[in-house]
Amino acid sequence: MRTRALAPSFGLELQDLDLADEAALDRADLPGLLARHGVLLLRGQALTPEAQMAFARRFGSLESHAAYPAALRHPEHDELLVVKRYQVDGRALRFGGQWHSDLSYTLQPSKASVLHALAVPPSGGDTLFADLAAAYAALPAETRAALEGLWVVHDLANGRQYGDSPPDAIARMRAKSPPVEQPLVRRHPETGRPALFLSEWMTREVVGLGTEQSRRLLEPLLAQVEDERFVYRHRWRVGDTLIWDNRSTNHLAMGDYEGTRVMHRCSIAGEPCGRPHPVAAAAPAP
Ligand SMILES: O=C(O)CCC(=O)C(=O)O
């Protein structure tokens, strides 16, 4: 199989693999490649929703999105989201407009996600990926030692888009998706590589530290995982299929485009990770 590195530390394009060629897919160790490289790219694929889901199942079982608003889901498949610009309750809703790792605010974060481009704008609308393992490895040894054993709060409501939401809307969101605690340094279950498991969108504070101390510890780490040394920027073409490992990468969808951008997305269930956040557990449901 011909391959091409996407970025110095991670990401691999599989250049002559055809997603319709089941025998070739059987021969390629796709889950192993994903675990080692963090992001896989295949260009020029024509995937029906069924073919995309069948391909994604090679990495594990698919997550259902039945709880998402119907407008965001494919009409026939709860496992498939249609990623584009939406208006929900009169507000523009943008998928992934802040750095994140899928479902890190739950106790079963997604293992991987598969995004297939159906329509792309003439310019803009790129997706950025960050290598969280390389970002961790590049920290000074004493910083890495100081982070060992720390837990951080991941909270969906921490997102910028909820900044002007009324408190009762935030309380309802937290009742539905209570914040959780995740290990700040997460070891990849397949490669054993440690990675910085935090993101601008989800990570609110360090467990046991006050707001100011948390900010002082988290700010440089967030800068580290967004540093361009560890980022791959994907410029989409129609037919691109990207698979990313949410246990070792963050991603960010750029909203800087005009025109149509439509993607089909499914995600693969991960292993349990993290623990409930006691404050959230104690909060009364509104
Ligand atoms: O639209 C994109 O490029 C990515 C969207 C996103 O953040 C996601 O699918 O989790």
Side-chain angles (χ1 to χ4, degrees):
M1 185 166 43
R2 280 190 313 127
T3 60
R4 181 181 71 92
L6 298 177
S9 70
F10 77 133
L12 195 69
E13 178 180 352
L14 309 178
Q15 290 178 305
D16 47 10
L17 191 61
D18 177 355
L19 291 187
D21 184 347
E22 296 285 333
L25 293 178
D26 290 344
R27 280 193 306 274
D29 172 20
L30 292 168
L33 286 172
L34 183 65
R36 286 197 298 284
H37 296 279
V39 176
L40 300 179
L41 165 67
L42 295 105
R43 297 237 191 230
Q45 308 293 323
L47 287 180
T48 61
E50 292 75 17
Q52 181 175 347
M53 291 190 298
F55 170 65
R57 283 196 190 93
R58 289 180 171 271
F59 298 90
S61 49
L62 299 191
E63 290 169 344
S64 166
H65 301 109
Y68 281 53
L72 278 55
R73 283 181 269 132
H74 186 278
E76 285 157 33
H77 304 288
D78 284 347
E79 298 90 345
L80 209 68
L81 291 175
V82 182
V83 175
K84 57 180 187 176
R85 279 189 175 140
Y86 290 95
Q87 288 287 329
V88 174
D89 300 333
R91 285 166 60 122
L93 185 138
R94 203 173 118 203
F95 272 89
Q98 253 181 303
W99 281 106
H100 66 286
S101 165
D102 295 325
L103 295 193
S104 76
Y105 59 94
T106 73
L107 297 174
Q108 194 179 1
S110 304
K111 173 181 184 180
S113 308
V114 179
L115 199 57
H116 177 63
L118 300 173
V120 302
S123 65
D126 297 350
T127 307
L128 275 58
F129 293 90
D131 182 347
L132 305 179
Y136 173 80
L139 291 171
E142 60 275 19
T143 308
R144 294 201 305 267
L147 302 183
E148 224 24 79
L150 292 183
W151 291 75
V152 284
V153 178
H154 284 228
D155 182 359
L156 179 63
N158 197 49
R160 194 192 300 130
Q161 60 184 315
Y162 308 116
D164 58 357
S165 299
D168 59 322
I170 296 287
R172 273 199 305 278
M173 181 188 297
R174 289 215 173 101
K176 213 167 132 200
S177 295
V180 302
E181 297 177 1
Q182 296 289 1
L184 177 53
V185 179
R186 181 180 184 190
R187 281 184 170 69
H188 193 285
E190 287 151 51
T191 65
R193 278 188 87 197
L196 282 172
F197 196 48
L198 85 165
S199 67
E200 180 203 15
W201 181 344
M202 305 296 172
T203 311
R204 209 180 60 203
E205 65 195 46
V206 182
V207 174
L209 297 190
T211 313
E212 188 48 29
Q213 261 187 308
S214 284
R215 196 186 59 73
R216 263 188 273 131
L217 193 136
L218 292 177
E219 253 179 26
L221 295 179
L222 288 169
Q224 176 81 353
V225 294
E226 294 171 20
D227 188 298
E228 62 183 12
R229 284 175 297 159
F230 313 117
V231 170
Y232 164 64
R233 183 179 194 117
H234 187 65
R235 170 89 196 98
W236 289 94
R237 295 182 202 156
V238 170
D240 283 358
T241 303
L242 260 182
I243 309 107
W244 62 86
D245 189 325
N246 284 293
R247 299 155 311 173
S248 58
T249 64
N250 279 349
H251 58 282
L252 165 68
M254 300 301 290
D256 58 344
Y257 67 91
E258 284 175 20
T260 310
R261 183 184 191 273
V262 184
M263 317 248 164
H264 276 170
R265 174 199 190 280
C266 46
S267 45
I268 294 113
E271 50 285 314
C273 183
R275 60 190 192 195
H277 183 47
V279 178

